Amino acid sequence: MSAKAVKLADVAKAAGVSQGTASNVFSRPELVRAEVRARVEETARQLGYRGPDPRGRLLRAGKVNAIGVVVSDDLTYFFNDPFNREFMIGLASACDERGAGVSLISAANRATAAWSVETALVDGFIVQCMEDGDRLVELARKRGLPFVACDIDPGGEASSIRIDDRGGARMAAEHLLALGHRRFAILSLELRNDGRVGLVDRARRVSAEYAGTRDRLLGYGDAFAKAGIDIDTVAIVEAFNDPAGAAEGAAALLDAARDATAVLAMSDVAAIALLAEAKRRGIAVPQQLSVIGFDDVPEAAASSPRLTTIRQPIREKGRRAGALILAGGETRHELLPVQLIVRGTTAAPFAA
Amino acid sequence: MSAKAVKLADVAKAAGVSQGTASNVFSRPELVRAEVRARVEETARQLGYRGPDPRGRLLRAGKVNAIGVVVSDDLTYFFNDPFNREFMIGLASACDERGAGVSLISAANRATAAWSVETALVDGFIVQCMEDGDRLVELARKRGLPFVACDIDPGGEASSIRIDDRGGARMAAEHLLALGHRRFAILSLELRNDGRVGLVDRARRVSAEYAGTRDRLLGYGDAFAKAGIDIDTVAIVEAFNDPAGAAEGAAALLDAARDATAVLAMSDVAAIALLAEAKRRGIAVPQQLSVIGFDDVPEAAASSPRLTTIRQPIREKGRRAGALILAGGETRHELLPVQLIVRGTTAAPFAA
DNA sequence: CTGTTAGCGCCTTCAG
DNA sequence: CTGAAGGCGCTAACAG
């Protein structure tokens, strides 16, 4: 049909005006006399001009009006993972307010990840994942665009938004200690980016690289120490933070720590998987086993029994991350508070 | 710090090569002798060159490598609505395979919607919503980019992906009729874009504008007619398809149709809200009331009792929509099949 | 292999 | 209010 897209210059020539005037007709109509404007609009219509091409404008203006969100998983992760979903809702609301768009960028494929980040048309990045965070942060930084790192320490001069992981973990453990528990088990997030899962020994524990995981372990340890419990005596199982990985980890943990009366899970996804595994084994929660999660995703309030957990302001995180970028990317480090939410999965131990 | 971004030309000059060669160093390194390449890369580093700017490349090449998804709600809708979440997972998987990105575009704000669509940097659009679909389709069409409409009839020469709404609805009604039900009520999606909800009379029913809603009503009617039931005798309540709106609609429907033994809900979200309202009123499902949904979102299999529904291939829809755009936007109209999924919310009527 | 050149489509001075 | 001209940053085509 259309051999070649008609462009602004074509319209200008056909209408007998200069290109500058034609440009004004579309972008700043108030600067053009009504009759000229009408004539230009009419010729544009006849020629089938589709309006100013954003690409040309972009090159000139520089502002894309979109935020890129980088994760190290598939794009499907954005919609599957409850935590990320909440985060994106917060981010999306910040973008909505400012009329900005959101671009989803996956860095799952290591071969193409760099290219994706290098070529993404965005005004700034949000790196929202821990796995492989360093590499992504590095790529984003290289673009020279503002970016904010969530839940990881970006080092150098980049913004970050984190929560009080250590304090939250301590609160979780203290809650269980106050209920009278003394024999614990920990269902942990990944400690470092090597794909290993399963039982964690001391050497591995202290080798933790992911800041969030490390800090939560430290927080549990703080509480244990105050109660005279050696964290080296508590079973720790490391698991991937998706339903399948968590289910596997839950099974391994229940096998490894048969005498534990309480489990500290580092995410609600993990805790919910553990709840399912406990039910499968006929272990009554909270009567025979207390379980506490972390995050307070919406699913936590809907589980059965309803999950006791540490709430972090997930949506608020997203909002702030978006606002930080949209505001121009001034470097800031924010630490958001956490809060203990007691529901139905924790109680005093059966044989206290 | 950096007064002005350093660009390719600067690097080229500083390294004493032509701009073309410098370009090759970054985009097609194999064309450049190793020693020259090293020299250029070194100067680039010293100058703090951040790599080729995607904007310049974009203008030249024209391809953005991203798909825009337009909805008429907030961006938060993408992550909140179960149906859309599933759709996006399918779309995302198609994009992942081809290394394309996804841009989320909201047209909730009528004032800025046009601008958003006109300036979005994408290779094509997917319009995935019924509300205000026409206007969005029009905007997208104007851009002259490939686009595919989901669940709405775009008219003219644009692709569409739809499901057999009428057939699915008929199957739902026939299932209930086969169980022995004769007194029905319908919890309907919106009929047209005027914000009205509540009881639907005949005049309003036949005024349905949204193709999906209209066809589902027709499908129910087909089955009713065959059983000798006049659809004008069945209570129909129109409700917004979000948890709050559906809850309201569910309450109105149960008030209006106290003698109904079965409810046909046009979405699972609506059906699940109805389940909740029935429980609140002490109405046992399926003993006192049968409920059937539409869509088969993941939540349908997790409700209690588990929801009988009409399954449509939501993810497949997303996949195909994405594939259609990525393949270049050849005009096609696809009609996907639906399927009855019998679970626990339908049974023979109590007093048959 | 490397250098030169000509735009991609638009917007924004700067004169008139 | 309008016209002319330059350049945003890059790459492809072609000539050496």
Side-chain angles (χ1 to χ4, degrees):
Chain A
M1 194 62 57
S2 57
K4 199 101 172 69
V6 12
K7 57 192 177 194
L8 192 56
D10 303 331
V11 176
K13 196 186 302 176
V17 298
S18 81
Q19 191 175 326
T21 303
S23 171
N24 284 335
V25 169
F26 294 102
S27 303
R28 318 168 68 187
E30 70 280 6
L31 293 188
V32 182
R33 206 177 351 141
E35 77 192 55
V36 177
R37 198 192 324 153
R39 179 155 45 94
V40 172
E41 280 167 347
E42 178 51 24
T43 31
R45 197 168 309 120
Q46 289 181 4
L47 263 45
Y49 179 60
R50 304 187 179 289
D53 184 327
R55 297 193 305 253
R57 188 192 324 247
L58 174 63
L59 184 53
R60 198 86 187 62
K63 191 99 178 311
V64 182
N65 206 36
I67 293 183
V69 187
V70 188
V71 295
S72 53
D73 286 271
D74 293 344
L75 286 180
T76 58
Y77 172 77
F78 279 107
F79 303 95
N80 267 330
D81 181 66
F83 181 91
N84 207 55
R85 232 148 59 194
E86 286 295 299
F87 180 86
M88 292 302 293
I89 287 174
L91 171 61
S93 69
C95 289
D96 270 333
E97 282 165 17
R98 312 280 226 98
V102 175
S103 281
L104 275 22
I105 301 165
S106 160
N109 182 338
R110 292 187 67 102
T112 60
W115 190 81
S116 299
V117 173
E118 280 160 6
T119 63
L121 288 156
V122 296
D123 298 318
F125 288 103
I126 293 173
V127 177
Q128 153 65 11
C129 56
M130 56 182 204
E131 187 195 335
D132 233 3
D134 294 353
R135 193 171 53 96
L136 297 179
V137 162
E138 202 34 58
L139 284 169
R141 190 202 308 284
K142 235 185 154 182
R143 268 296 287 279
L145 295 176
F147 80 92
V148 2
C150 279
D151 295 323
I152 52 182
D153 177 3
E157 39 182 313
S159 296
S160 69
I161 298 185
R162 301 194 50 191
I163 56 160
D164 183 6
D165 286 293
R166 187 165 184 167
R170 182 160 35 74
M171 283 164 56
E174 283 171 349
H175 167 63
L176 293 170
L177 285 162
L179 287 171
H181 292 274
R182 302 285 301 173
R183 296 196 306 277
F184 297 94
I186 296 173
L187 186 48
S188 173
L189 298 177
E190 292 169 80
L191 292 164
R192 50 192 304 164
N193 184 26
D194 59 4
R196 256 179 62 181
V197 294
L199 266 175
V200 173
D201 60 16
R202 179 163 209 292
R204 178 144 183 103
R205 175 168 61 75
V206 299
S207 80
E209 268 178 0
Y210 292 152
T213 310
R214 185 194 58 213
D215 291 352
R216 292 183 194 181
L217 280 175
L218 289 174
Y220 296 147
D222 291 344
F224 290 160
K226 209 160 30 164
I229 296 174
D230 180 359
I231 195 173
D232 282 319
T233 66
V234 345
I236 304 178
V237 163
E238 185 177 357
F240 293 127
N241 193 40
D242 57 62
E248 200 175 307
L253 190 66
L254 291 180
D255 286 341
R258 296 185 179 279
D259 66 342
T261 62
V263 174
L264 293 147
M266 278 199 206
S267 79
D268 289 349
V269 168
I272 288 168
L274 187 82
L275 253 30
E277 181 64 20
K279 178 179 277 183
R280 192 169 306 119
R281 296 182 182 211
I283 302 173
V285 173
Q287 294 80 1
Q288 295 172 270
L289 185 71
S290 282
V291 177
I292 187 166
F294 206 114
D295 293 341
D296 198 25
V297 299
E299 282 79 348
S303 68
S304 143
R306 295 166 67 232
L307 186 66
T308 295
T309 190
I310 302 296
R311 171 179 299 168
Q312 60 162 306
I314 312 178
R315 292 192 183 193
E316 182 62 21
K317 252 173 154 170
R319 285 190 66 80
R320 296 207 185 189
L324 233 46
I325 299 282
L326 261 15
E330 172 204 6
T331 299
R332 284 236 304 260
H333 298 277
E334 306 198 352
L335 190 72
L336 270 35
V338 296
Q339 179 188 2
L340 172 68
I341 304 291
V342 179
R343 297 202 183 93
T345 55
T346 48
F350 186 58
Chain B
M1 193 64 55
S2 58
K4 200 102 173 69
V6 13
K7 56 192 178 192
L8 192 57
D10 303 331
V11 176
K13 195 186 301 176
V17 298
S18 81
Q19 193 175 325
T21 302
S23 171
N24 284 336
V25 168
F26 294 101
S27 303
R28 318 170 70 189
E30 69 281 7
L31 294 187
V32 181
R33 199 172 6 131
E35 77 193 54
V36 177
R37 197 190 326 151
R39 179 156 45 94
V40 173
E41 281 167 346
E42 179 52 24
T43 32
R45 196 168 309 119
Q46 290 182 3
L47 264 45
Y49 180 59
R50 304 187 179 288
D53 185 326
R55 297 191 307 248
R57 177 182 290 163
L58 173 62
L59 183 54
R60 200 81 194 36
K63 191 98 177 314
V64 182
N65 205 36
I67 293 183
V69 187
V70 188
V71 295
S72 53
D73 286 271
D74 292 346
L75 286 180
T76 59
Y77 173 77
F78 279 106
F79 302 95
N80 266 330
D81 182 66
F83 181 91
N84 206 53
R85 231 148 59 191
E86 286 295 300
F87 180 86
M88 291 301 295
I89 287 174
L91 171 61
S93 70
C95 289
D96 270 333
E97 282 166 16
R98 310 282 226 99
V102 175
S103 281
L104 274 25
I105 301 165
S106 160
N109 183 339
R110 294 187 66 104
T112 60
W115 190 82
S116 298
V117 173
E118 281 160 6
T119 62
L121 288 156
V122 296
D123 297 319
F125 287 103
I126 293 173
V127 177
Q128 153 65 14
C129 56
M130 56 182 202
E131 186 197 336
D132 232 4
D134 294 353
R135 193 170 55 96
L136 297 180
V137 162
E138 201 36 57
L139 284 170
R141 189 202 308 283
K142 235 186 153 185
R143 268 294 289 277
L145 295 175
F147 81 92
V148 4
C150 279
D151 295 323
I152 52 182
D153 178 2
E157 39 182 312
S159 295
S160 69
I161 299 185
R162 300 194 50 192
I163 57 160
D164 184 5
D165 285 294
R166 187 165 184 166
R170 181 159 35 71
M171 285 165 55
E174 283 171 349
H175 167 62
L176 293 171
L177 284 162
L179 287 170
H181 291 275
R182 303 286 299 172
R183 297 196 304 277
F184 298 94
I186 296 174
L187 187 47
S188 174
L189 298 177
E190 291 169 80
L191 292 164
R192 51 190 306 162
N193 183 25
D194 59 5
R196 255 181 60 182
V197 295
L199 265 175
V200 172
D201 61 17
R202 180 163 207 292
R204 178 145 182 102
R205 176 167 60 78
V206 299
S207 79
E209 268 177 1
Y210 292 153
T213 310
R214 185 193 59 214
D215 291 352
R216 290 182 194 182
L217 280 175
L218 289 173
Y220 296 148
D222 291 345
F224 290 161
K226 209 160 31 163
I229 296 174
D230 180 358
I231 194 172
D232 282 319
T233 66
V234 345
I236 305 179
V237 164
E238 184 177 359
F240 294 126
N241 193 39
D242 57 61
E248 200 176 307
L253 190 66
L254 290 180
D255 286 340
R258 296 183 179 280
D259 66 341
T261 62
V263 175
L264 294 147
M266 278 199 206
S267 79
D268 289 348
V269 168
I272 288 169
L274 188 81
L275 252 30
E277 182 63 22
K279 177 179 278 183
R280 191 168 309 119
R281 296 181 181 213
I283 302 173
V285 174
Q287 293 81 0
Q288 296 172 268
L289 185 71
S290 282
V291 177
I292 186 166
F294 207 115
D295 293 341
D296 198 24
V297 298
E299 282 79 348
S303 68
S304 142
R306 294 165 67 233
L307 186 67
T308 296
T309 191
I310 302 295
R311 171 180 299 169
Q312 60 162 307
I314 313 179
R315 292 191 185 195
E316 182 63 19
K317 256 174 153 169
R319 285 190 67 80
R320 296 208 185 189
L324 232 48
I325 299 282
L326 261 13
E330 172 204 7
T331 300
R332 283 236 304 258
H333 297 277
E334 306 199 353
L335 191 72
L336 270 35
V338 296
Q339 179 188 0
L340 172 68
I341 304 292
V342 179
R343 297 203 182 93
T345 56
T346 49
F350 184 58

